[in-house]
Amino acid sequence: MMDPILEVKNLTKHFKTKYGLLHAVDGIDLTLERGKTLGLVGESGCGKSTTGRLILKLIEPTTGQIIFDGKDITNYKNRAMKEIRRDMMFIFQDPYSSLDPRKTVSQIISEPIIANNILKKSSDIEDRVTELMTTVGLAERLYNTYPHELDGGRRQRIGIARAIAMEPKFIICDEPVSALDVSIQAQILNLLKELQRKLGLSYIFITHDLSVVNHFSDDIAVMYLGKIVERAPAEELFLNPLHPYTKALLSAIPVPELDVKMERILIKGEISSPINPGEECRFAKRCYFCQDICMKEPKLLEYSPQHFVACHRAEELKGLEGGL
Amino acid sequence: MKEKDLILDLQDLYVRFEVEDGVVHAVNGLSLQIERGKTLGLVGETGAGKTTTALSLLRLVSEPPGVVECERLIVDGKDVMALSQKELESFRGNDIAMIFQDPMTALNPVFTVGDQIAETIAIHENISQTEAQKKAIDMLELVGIQGERADEYPHQFSGGMKQRVIIAIALACQPRLLIADEPTTALDVTIQAQVLNLMRELRDHYKTSMIMITHDLGIVAQICDEVAVVYAGNIVEYGTLQDIFNRTKHPYTEGLFNSLPNIRDRKAELNPIKGLMPDPTNLPQGCPFHPRCPYADEKCKEEQSVKWVSDTHYIRCIAYEREGFHIKLEEKR
Ligand SMILES: Nc1ncnc2c1ncn2[C@@H]1O[C@H](COP(=O)(O)OP(=O)(O)O)[C@@H](O)[C@H]1O
Ligand SMILES: Nc1ncnc2c1ncn2[C@@H]1O[C@H](COP(=O)(O)OP(=O)(O)O)[C@@H](O)[C@H]1O
Ligand SMILES: [Mg+2]
Ligand SMILES: [Mg+2]
């Protein structure tokens, strides 16, 4: 049964810059099933965070449509949006910059509860904060400490506690573990999974780390210069990547095992400018398989059930190395 | 027995920082030997003392607040602790060079990249400015950047290209020992793969000995011959790639592996190490890992010594000798 919590159609964000129009997000379609995780991967600057901010309506789209929990929220304004916002939360990469340094842990966590008038009695608020702290694994003794006194892992737990305080339906996690050491990263990933099970949360999980996204997501969308170039269930994407960029990304993962002789598909050069992109496939300049046909932009098409790819040559390149 | 040809012989390095809130015990009796031509991986999490160890080899730890002590520090036959300030200047660059994590801060924004490479060459080799400029362009091309771009400034380069420039500078004088401190951490994966490839090629070409500092066991697997796993300022496990990856013996190393997602099995659970890194101003008694270690008992609070488990492989752990101890990792593989 399809029961999407979120659908995004032709979502586009262009920024005006002095050099021209910057195509940060350029007509993307996404679907997130209720209770599931959609991973959004790609290199820095490809438009992941902008996508997240568009969905939460922190910025206005240039064009496109956002349907959240059955409602088209694209044109929702202040009042209506405030209601919806309780159900959609954000967890950032660097919790430090998003946490007010003058506030204590408990003040930070209770902020949304107070702002939305959920609880009024201070003893109720205290109880709720303590409960939330326990849920995310923060010791009670940290109740009155300040974020700068804590390590990155604990700060991320504060960000998570605040995000779940309103019992949202949906959270966008933007590189939530990228700044953390591996042992702490694993603790936070496990916590996010446990919360998903307990609270029935749906996630969009933004990351540049391919092994993390594979572990964490049900479906994965690969972005390149504002476009989605491939989208599939995680397992399928890792076994049968179709887009040359996806293949290159997967083959660049430093796997912590010996004697894995993966065919490395090194790609040339670096990501090009998102300003005034041409008519050609966005990846053409770096692609080893680029041909004349690639001077026309490919559409994202369903190649096999649930597996979408935007590459003219997907069929021909199918057998090529690149999967695991 | 044949004497080993060592590029680095470090014995009992201690570094502490005497700061307001107390004494940070950053490096605690670390010993390390590297054979010429080999690449050693120095692996561990933030605060383990990797960067401080590396800076000590170049005598670049700021003193004060730092206090550096060691029994022996020989790099390429030179007794580094005995070098004068002047000798140290030529030592850095000619004998040993370091690549830092953040390419943004390592380059000077007001000089062109060509000038910066040329300057390094001019300092270390007795050649004219024009010759140095010409050599700088060669170095740029060697790291995959068009020579014409020598006249550009660092801000005109992307992160990956800046890191290439830094590699060019580090290699310009063909140092005997190259230390790379998280050289690709700030880069995207596809660019990381390009830079690692480049480093491997240049290392093989110049036969440079190398220390690769990283928190990423995937990078270690790609580029290192030997591995030292560092925790709280000392090596807890040391061995060849095979020893560390396929014959893991230390519970901390096991914890690191178990924290990583398995790329071939999405459903496999992560088993993180419980708790946090110890406070370096107040390290636990005995084995510094014992408060987080699933195998620890009372004995682990006592002083730990090195146990060689083979000719190439040692650990600093006594739980290993206990009956019933065995690393769960071996079952998983
Ligand atoms: N407010 C803004 N004004 C102009 N350009 C922006 C703005 N926000 C983001 N961008 C640009 O949009 C592109 C996508 O950025 P972002 O979504 O942050 O990428 P990612 O999160 O994938 O690294 C980048 O080129 C970035 O510089
Ligand atoms: N200049 C300094 N003053 C005080 N403490 C320092 C200084 N440099 C490093 N440290 C401390 O020494 C310990 C080891 O740091 P470092 O060598 O940078 O670790 P790593 O590179 O493994 O992350 C840390 O606790 C760090 O905070
Ligand atoms: Mg981002
Ligand atoms: Mg460091």
Side-chain angles (χ1 to χ4, degrees):
Chain A
M1 272 309 283
M2 298 284 268
D3 176 21
I5 177 107
L6 176 77
E7 273 182 283
V8 159
K9 292 179 185 158
N10 192 31
L11 193 62
T12 304
K13 181 69 187 180
H14 294 169
F15 291 107
K16 287 202 186 73
T17 72
K18 60 178 172 178
Y19 305 106
L21 211 52
L22 189 151
H23 294 228
V25 176
D26 221 4
I28 64 169
D29 297 330
L30 293 172
T31 307
L32 171 61
E33 292 294 315
R34 199 178 295 274
K36 301 278 184 191
T37 300
L38 171 67
L40 203 54
V41 283
E43 294 176 275
S44 50
C46 70
K48 305 181 296 296
S49 296
T50 304
T51 302
R53 290 162 64 214
L54 284 168
I55 291 172
L56 293 190
K57 295 206 12 120
L58 300 174
I59 50 175
E60 286 298 314
T62 308
T63 57
Q65 202 182 13
I66 304 161
I67 298 156
F68 178 73
D69 207 12
K71 302 180 209 58
D72 183 339
I73 62 165
T74 319
N75 297 311
Y76 273 33
K77 292 279 176 303
N78 313 329
R79 245 328 235 307
M81 200 52 219
K82 197 178 171 202
E83 278 296 303
I84 293 287
R85 205 151 265 153
R86 293 177 177 195
D87 286 330
M88 335 169 79
M89 290 285 162
F90 218 126
I91 296 172
F92 298 92
Q93 164 170 3
D94 177 11
Y96 197 48
S97 57
S98 61
L99 302 177
D100 186 340
R102 291 159 306 178
K103 290 190 172 152
T104 64
V105 171
S106 60
Q107 284 167 340
I108 293 168
I109 298 174
S110 61
E111 199 175 49
I113 305 172
I114 294 168
N116 286 284
N117 263 318
I118 303 298
L119 297 170
K120 295 195 183 71
K121 260 173 64 191
S122 63
S123 63
D124 288 347
I125 296 172
E126 249 171 62
D127 288 350
R128 176 66 177 146
V129 169
T130 316
E131 184 191 22
L132 285 164
M133 287 178 69
T134 313
T135 308
V136 301
L138 282 170
E140 238 178 275
R141 70 185 155 78
L142 303 176
Y143 195 88
N144 287 319
T145 52
Y146 290 88
H148 73 260
E149 299 174 67
L150 304 176
D151 60 280
R154 286 205 181 101
R155 283 184 209 147
Q156 197 52 285
R157 288 177 199 269
I158 301 173
I160 295 171
R162 187 174 59 175
I164 61 169
M166 302 293 299
E167 301 182 340
K169 296 177 177 157
F170 164 65
I171 301 180
I172 295 190
C173 311
D174 191 353
E175 309 262 8
V177 296
S178 303
L180 305 175
D181 276 317
V182 285
S183 68
I184 308 301
Q185 172 175 312
Q187 292 175 359
I188 297 294
L189 289 173
N190 280 357
L191 171 64
L192 287 171
K193 275 215 158 162
E194 186 193 318
L195 292 174
Q196 178 166 47
R197 267 194 305 270
K198 270 199 208 150
L199 309 175
L201 289 166
S202 313
Y203 289 135
I204 285 188
F205 191 88
I206 296 175
T207 180
H208 65 273
D209 187 326
L210 279 300
S211 6
V212 167
V213 84
N214 178 37
H215 170 78
F216 202 80
S217 317
D218 299 293
D219 292 301
I220 297 176
V222 181
M223 277 187 91
Y224 192 81
L225 276 178
K227 294 271 181 192
I228 287 177
V229 297
E230 188 160 4
R231 201 175 90 202
E235 197 136 354
E236 165 71 9
L237 189 92
F238 272 70
L239 281 174
N240 301 309
L242 294 171
H243 198 283
Y245 178 63
T246 312
K247 292 181 195 226
L249 269 186
L250 296 187
S251 81
I253 302 173
V255 181
E257 288 169 23
L258 302 184
D259 317 314
V260 274
K261 281 285 162 273
M262 256 207 300
E263 189 69 32
R264 286 215 174 273
I265 306 177
L266 285 180
I267 47 179
K268 314 178 265 195
E270 310 196 0
I271 200 161
S272 45
S273 163
I275 295 172
N276 303 332
E279 294 287 292
E280 72 273 18
C281 168
R282 298 273 155 101
F283 187 59
K285 282 198 197 71
R286 298 174 78 188
C287 186
Y288 279 111
F289 309 103
C290 175
Q291 290 185 342
D292 288 349
I293 189 176
C294 306
M295 293 300 113
K296 218 180 82 213
E297 190 159 334
K299 288 201 173 60
L300 187 70
L301 298 173
E302 191 161 14
Y303 180 85
S304 58
Q306 295 307 310
H307 192 157
F308 298 81
V309 63
C311 174
H312 297 296
R313 304 195 60 205
E315 178 65 42
E316 293 165 72
L317 302 177
K318 196 173 64 169
L320 187 87
E321 284 281 339
L324 290 174
Chain B
M1 208 175 82
K2 206 177 108 223
E3 277 277 296
K4 279 188 184 160
D5 182 12
L6 297 179
I7 186 76
L8 172 70
D9 184 4
L10 172 67
Q11 191 65 42
D12 279 335
L13 174 69
Y14 287 88
V15 183
R16 59 178 192 273
F17 294 99
E18 297 179 342
V19 290
E20 245 173 69
D21 324 337
V23 180
V24 177
H25 294 275
V27 184
N28 303 300
L30 190 143
S31 300
L32 197 55
Q33 296 189 329
I34 304 175
E35 253 184 274
R36 196 180 297 279
K38 295 273 188 205
T39 296
L40 171 95
L42 211 52
V43 196
E45 297 180 279
T46 312
K50 305 179 297 296
T51 299
T52 305
T53 300
L55 291 174
S56 306
L57 303 183
L58 288 108
R59 297 280 307 277
L60 278 177
V61 173
S62 42
E63 300 172 74
V67 180
V68 180
E69 287 164 347
C70 79
E71 194 67 31
R72 184 164 70 238
L73 170 52
I74 314 278
V75 175
D76 196 23
K78 291 200 171 80
D79 182 355
V80 180
M81 297 308 273
L83 296 181
S84 70
Q85 204 53 44
K86 190 136 186 286
E87 289 167 324
L88 275 174
E89 269 162 37
S90 99
F91 168 73
R92 297 182 196 128
N94 281 334
D95 298 77
I96 187 167
M98 183 155 167
I99 298 171
F100 295 90
Q101 171 173 348
D102 187 0
M104 315 310 161
T105 55
L107 291 172
N108 190 330
V110 302
F111 294 106
T112 67
V113 297
D115 284 347
Q116 295 189 51
I117 304 173
E119 190 197 273
T120 314
I121 298 171
I123 291 176
H124 292 281
E125 287 174 41
N126 229 336
I127 57 175
S128 72
Q129 267 301 321
T130 28
E131 272 177 289
Q133 288 285 354
K134 243 182 75 201
K135 209 171 160 197
I137 291 171
D138 292 344
M139 285 310 295
L140 269 184
E141 305 224 313
L142 189 68
V143 297
I145 297 174
Q146 293 149 313
E148 300 97 272
R149 302 202 60 177
D151 296 334
E152 291 182 19
Y153 291 87
H155 74 264
Q156 293 169 277
F157 282 47
S158 68
M161 286 169 71
K162 281 187 209 145
Q163 200 57 293
R164 286 165 191 269
V165 172
I166 289 165
I167 292 171
I169 293 176
L171 291 174
C173 302
Q174 298 180 25
R176 307 290 173 80
L177 177 62
L178 177 66
I179 305 175
D181 190 357
E182 310 255 9
T184 59
T185 303
L187 307 176
D188 279 316
V189 275
T190 63
I191 309 299
Q192 166 169 292
Q194 292 172 1
V195 170
L196 284 177
N197 244 25
L198 171 72
M199 293 189 68
R200 211 175 8 228
E201 276 169 30
L202 293 175
R203 172 196 70 184
D204 295 345
H205 178 79
Y206 289 121
K207 303 192 169 42
T208 316
S209 313
M210 208 159 98
I211 298 178
M212 174 60 95
I213 298 178
T214 178
H215 63 272
D216 190 332
L217 286 161
I219 291 177
V220 170
Q222 282 182 38
I223 201 162
C224 299
D225 303 302
E226 268 135 40
V227 191
V229 181
V230 187
Y231 189 81
N234 211 345
I235 296 172
V236 295
E237 181 159 12
Y238 178 93
T240 62
L241 268 190
Q242 290 290 342
D243 292 336
I244 301 296
F245 281 73
N246 295 338
R247 296 185 282 271
T248 313
K249 285 284 182 292
H250 197 283
Y252 176 62
T253 317
E254 177 196 33
L256 282 182
F257 278 114
N258 285 343
S259 299
L260 296 173
N262 184 338
I263 200 101
R264 258 170 272 284
D265 182 5
R266 322 183 28 244
K267 304 249 158 56
E269 293 216 1
L270 304 181
N271 290 306
I273 304 168
K274 63 179 184 191
L276 302 168
M277 281 285 217
D279 173 2
T281 62
N282 184 19
L283 289 174
Q285 286 280 310
C287 169
F289 187 60
H290 86 257
R292 305 174 71 187
C293 180
Y295 308 100
D297 71 6
E298 283 302 307
K299 272 240 168 85
C300 300
K301 293 181 185 164
E302 293 163 18
E303 190 74 31
Q304 302 289 301
S305 56
V306 161
K307 297 257 178 307
W308 285 90
V309 294
S310 78
D311 287 351
T312 54
H313 189 181
Y314 75 69
I315 53 169
R316 216 177 278 274
C317 175
I318 47 169
Y320 154 73
E321 292 180 320
R322 209 166 296 144
E323 209 169 313
F325 171 88
H326 76 128
I327 294 263
K328 297 187 186 96
L329 202 72
E330 287 168 289
E331 282 168 24
K332 272 177 50 175
R333 296 256 162 116

